[in-house]
Amino acid sequence: MTAQSNDLGLKSGVLTSPADAMLSEAIAATLAAEPEFRVQVFERLVGNIESFMSKQVHERPWTCRIFSGTDGSRVFRGGVGHSLVIDTSGRLWRARSYEDFVTTYIEVEGLYEIDSLTPLYEQMREYL
C-alpha cells in the first residue's frame, strides 16, 4: 500500500454540533450575569439553542428538559447524561444526570417520569 492509498477518506468518530459552542457561550453569558438573573438568562439561551437546533435537520438532536430541584434550584438536563444546576444563590454546577441527584419517579400512563430531583452538590463541579 502506498501512502496515497492509505487515505480512504476516514473520518473521526467524534461528533460535534453547533450546539456545543452555543452551550459554552450560554454558560459564559450566564456566569457574567448577576446571580439573581442567571436562571432567566440560561433558560432563554437554552431555548434559543433548542430552537436553532430544531431547524438543523442534518445535525444530531439537541434537547434540554428543565426541572425544579427539591431545594428550589433549577435543573437543566441534556440528552447525553449531563445536567447543569443553578442553585438558589445563582451558582452554576455541572452534574451527571443520574449520579449527582437523588431522584424519585412517578408512574404516568405506564411510563415512569421524574417526580423529584435533589441535587448532591458535594459530587458536582461548580462553574466559576
Side-chain angles (χ1 to χ4, degrees):
M1 250 197 234
T2 67
Q4 287 179 343
S5 65
N6 234 1
D7 181 13
L8 300 175
L10 298 177
K11 296 181 181 179
S12 170
V14 176
L15 298 177
T16 61
S17 164
D20 298 338
M22 295 173 75
L23 180 59
S24 292
E25 292 169 7
I27 291 168
T30 302
L31 286 169
E34 293 296 321
E36 64 269 19
F37 299 115
R38 288 180 175 169
V39 168
Q40 296 89 337
V41 168
F42 196 69
E43 278 190 29
R44 178 178 50 81
L45 295 173
V46 164
N48 292 347
I49 297 169
E50 277 190 306
S51 176
F52 175 80
M53 290 305 295
S54 71
K55 297 174 184 131
Q56 309 305 311
V57 296
H58 298 293
E59 295 288 340
R60 70 176 193 251
W62 194 91
T63 60
C64 180
R65 291 194 56 201
I66 303 171
F67 297 89
S68 293
T70 58
D71 62 345
S73 62
R74 294 295 276 173
V75 179
F76 300 84
R77 289 174 59 104
V80 293
H82 292 98
S83 294
L84 186 140
V85 179
I86 301 178
D87 68 21
T88 57
S89 299
R91 295 181 299 173
L92 276 68
W93 300 87
R94 180 181 177 161
R96 298 165 296 171
S97 292
Y98 299 99
E99 298 90 344
D100 293 339
F101 298 91
V102 173
T103 307
T104 63
Y105 297 89
I106 187 169
E107 186 178 352
V108 178
E109 298 179 17
L111 299 173
Y112 286 91
E113 298 283 335
I114 292 173
D115 185 44
S116 69
L117 292 166
T118 302
L120 301 172
Y121 295 106
E122 64 277 1
Q123 296 179 185
M124 299 179 192
R125 290 193 346 218
E126 184 176 0
Y127 285 102
L128 302 172

